[in-house]
Amino acid sequence: MAIEIPDAALEEIFSRASGPGGQNVNKVETAVQIRLDLGRAGLPERVLARLIALAGRRVTNEGVLVIDASRHRSQDRNRAEARAKLDELIARAAAPPPPPRRPTRPTKASKERRLEGKAKRAGVKRLRRDRPGTD
């Protein structure tokens, strides 16, 4: 299912990144923060609910999804990383959830094998404990 986000729902904010980078850090705004207004994103209800659950604390009380990227020294690479994070999060939310696990019971043969293994191990330990001829 292809999901398109309207440009009106997205906002990119650039700021100075922290960390290494020398003089570049002090003068270039390389860190990127993408803000997606979930109310204007036009996502189906099920996808929106899963997206909010997956995003966790990245969704504000106002219903805005915030994604930060500041690992790279260039603004373009950080912007691409932030978009990739957003795309991956939306793709995970759009994928149908896995079917619930149905509990199964062990077969009779597997129970018997387990008990035979336990008895064999107990016999080995018993032989180690009861040394013949030591009184």
Side-chain angles (χ1 to χ4, degrees):
M1 165 159 78
I3 295 178
E4 293 217 13
I5 305 294
D7 288 337
L10 278 176
E11 179 186 8
E12 289 180 341
I13 300 171
F14 302 100
S15 61
R16 292 189 179 138
S18 62
Q23 205 175 50
N24 195 52
V25 169
N26 300 326
K27 50 183 206 180
V28 182
E29 296 189 341
T30 56
V32 178
Q33 184 181 74
I34 290 184
R35 299 174 65 83
L36 173 63
D37 185 353
L38 297 176
R40 298 190 315 182
L43 297 171
E45 280 299 316
R46 291 192 323 237
V47 174
L48 184 62
R50 282 197 298 264
L51 180 63
I52 291 170
L54 283 171
R57 292 175 43 198
R58 291 181 284 189
V59 178
T60 65
N61 291 336
E62 294 81 31
V64 176
L65 173 64
V66 180
I67 295 182
D68 294 314
S70 61
R71 186 179 354 169
H72 304 287
R73 288 184 60 178
S74 84
Q75 190 182 77
D76 289 337
R77 288 179 70 186
N78 282 329
R79 176 191 268 162
E81 180 185 357
R83 291 281 179 134
K85 284 182 184 180
L86 178 65
D87 291 345
E88 191 265 335
L89 197 59
I90 291 173
R92 281 180 48 204
R101 182 188 174 280
R102 294 200 338 241
T104 58
R105 288 190 161 156
T107 63
K108 186 175 181 182
S110 69
K111 285 182 189 177
E112 288 173 2
R113 282 192 303 268
R114 180 179 145 270
L115 292 175
E116 284 171 15
K118 285 171 73 82
K120 190 182 226 181
R121 189 78 186 139
V124 168
K125 291 187 173 195
R126 194 178 317 107
L127 285 174
R128 286 185 194 154
R129 187 179 60 212
D130 299 334
R131 296 195 170 232
T134 54
D135 292 317

